[in-house]
Amino acid sequence: MAQSYPMVSGDGAHSYAKNSTLQRRVVDAAKELIYEAISDKLDLKLLKFDASNTFQIADLGCSIGPNTFIAVQNIIEAVELKLLQPDHQNLSSMEFQVLFNDHYDNDFNTLFKSLPHSRKYFAAGVPGSFHNRLFPKATLHFVHSSYSLHWLSKVPKELVDQNSPLWNKESARRRRFVKEVAEAYSGQFKNDMESFLNARAQELVPGGLMVITIHAIPDGIPFSQTGPGVLADVLGSCLVDLAKMVRINRSPQIFIFLGGIVFTT
Ligand SMILES: C[S@@+](CC[C@H](N)C(=O)[O-])C[C@H]1O[C@@H](n2cnc3c(N)ncnc32)[C@H](O)[C@@H]1O
């Protein structure tokens, strides 16, 4: 099974459900883009539907809510708006199914318990890594993923090999090898994206649409000058201090992923 680091389960004070306003803002910011994409690029007349005219939506890396519910609601509203056009009358009986995906150890119980009562769609959970095939061939009409695809499937192997020059012994950030470390991460990201896109290429119906919102840095801006970069530096120096004070043990190792950087103690 793929490595996974599930969001904090349940609906307590420290749960993801109560601590995901940053990700909520991303969903809100993407709403207009999703409306535009569906209005301009999704040709409902070209899409193949089963006998029940069901429009299949998958949300990949959905976590436990509530953001995923807002995102799928936005998608459904945009499709419904399109269905009002006179040339789509034959599709007016369309139903919606939403396939909520995340890793096996995601808290699907909380997700299902908090499904909106007023929802206009059938819901199902699909456990597994989105770096692999998750759905039958040519069955999805719309694939959505927000704030999830920058999760790598694993730490690049060069960084966890104690014999590699990139193995971090002294500092939480591998300052001497910044370029090589960045290359190791970008190589892993490239492989992961390739697997992701290959899987979706088979699962989407011809003419289907995919909207991905992803954590990214504009070209030319060093990671250290971004919000997560500043946070990474602070957290890194705290870990080094703790290690020096022998407050944390060097064995076993602690891995902390932040904005694509792995810290090891
Ligand atoms: C920050 S949460 C975002 C959740 C939700 N999309 C939102 O906007 O609130 C990222 C989610 O991606 C999931 N994830 C990361 N890698 C994944 C993978 N390979 N397959 C499926 N889910 C994955 C994590 O388990 C986590 O629940």
Side-chain angles (χ1 to χ4, degrees):
M1 268 186 210
Q3 277 177 1
S4 75
Y5 302 87
M7 303 298 101
V8 179
S9 58
D11 61 358
H14 302 294
S15 63
Y16 182 76
K18 295 256 164 73
N19 293 277
S20 50
T21 40
L22 170 73
Q23 291 82 350
R24 163 71 194 262
R25 275 191 229 125
V26 174
V27 168
D28 289 344
K31 180 175 176 175
E32 211 49 45
L33 295 173
I34 288 178
Y35 265 68
E36 262 174 49
I38 289 177
S39 160
D40 300 348
K41 300 205 159 53
L42 191 71
D43 189 343
L44 292 172
K45 279 178 286 176
L46 278 187
L47 298 183
K48 276 220 167 87
F49 293 101
D50 60 14
S52 62
N53 262 359
T54 305
F55 189 94
Q56 303 276 0
I57 300 167
D59 189 32
L60 308 183
C62 63
S63 190
I64 60 175
N67 302 334
T68 181
F69 305 133
I70 297 159
V72 298
Q73 190 54 37
N74 292 341
I75 296 164
I76 290 172
E77 279 174 15
V79 176
E80 283 182 331
L81 207 60
K82 195 150 187 152
L83 286 172
L84 293 178
Q85 293 169 0
D87 50 344
H88 291 134
Q89 266 165 1
N90 59 327
L91 293 171
S92 59
S93 63
M94 183 177 278
E95 298 192 303
F96 293 89
Q97 167 145 282
V98 179
L99 305 158
F100 292 97
N101 156 261
D102 209 293
H103 278 300
Y104 297 88
D105 48 5
N106 180 56
D107 180 7
F108 282 101
N109 285 334
T110 295
L111 177 87
F112 293 143
K113 276 192 236 161
S114 49
L115 275 167
H117 293 300
S118 57
R119 69 183 188 278
K120 293 190 207 155
Y121 53 86
F122 298 98
V126 179
S129 170
F130 52 50
H131 293 120
N132 303 319
R133 282 285 306 278
L134 292 165
F135 309 98
K137 276 190 185 153
T139 50
L140 302 177
H141 300 100
F142 196 99
V143 171
H144 176 261
S145 183
S146 183
Y147 217 85
S148 301
L149 200 53
H150 49 276
W151 251 256
L152 299 181
S153 63
K154 58 177 188 233
V155 182
K157 61 180 183 322
E158 302 89 315
L159 305 187
V160 285
D161 173 3
Q162 299 208 20
N163 299 317
S164 156
L166 300 189
W167 170 251
N168 175 47
K169 287 199 286 284
E170 303 303 333
S171 69
R173 288 279 292 284
R174 298 166 185 75
R175 293 185 192 286
R176 273 181 58 212
F177 294 108
V178 170
K179 185 165 163 279
E180 289 83 350
V181 170
E183 279 167 7
Y185 277 111
S186 86
Q188 185 61 50
F189 182 70
K190 183 173 172 290
N191 291 343
D192 285 347
M193 270 308 268
E194 204 168 306
S195 311
F196 177 91
L197 292 173
N198 280 335
R200 303 299 86 77
Q202 297 190 59
E203 295 164 354
L204 271 162
V205 299
L209 204 60
M210 179 155 74
V211 171
I212 297 169
T213 321
I214 194 168
H215 207 283
I217 304 176
D219 283 350
I221 305 286
F223 179 67
S224 58
Q225 285 176 23
T226 64
V230 172
L231 200 60
D233 277 342
V234 174
L235 188 54
S237 69
C238 294
L239 286 174
V240 171
D241 287 349
L242 284 171
K244 281 184 187 150
M245 291 159 71
V246 204
R247 290 281 167 83
I248 45 177
N249 202 332
R250 281 196 162 271
S251 173
Q253 296 220 323
I254 298 175
F255 290 101
I256 299 180
F257 301 91
L258 188 71
I261 290 285
V262 63
F263 294 101
T264 64
T265 62

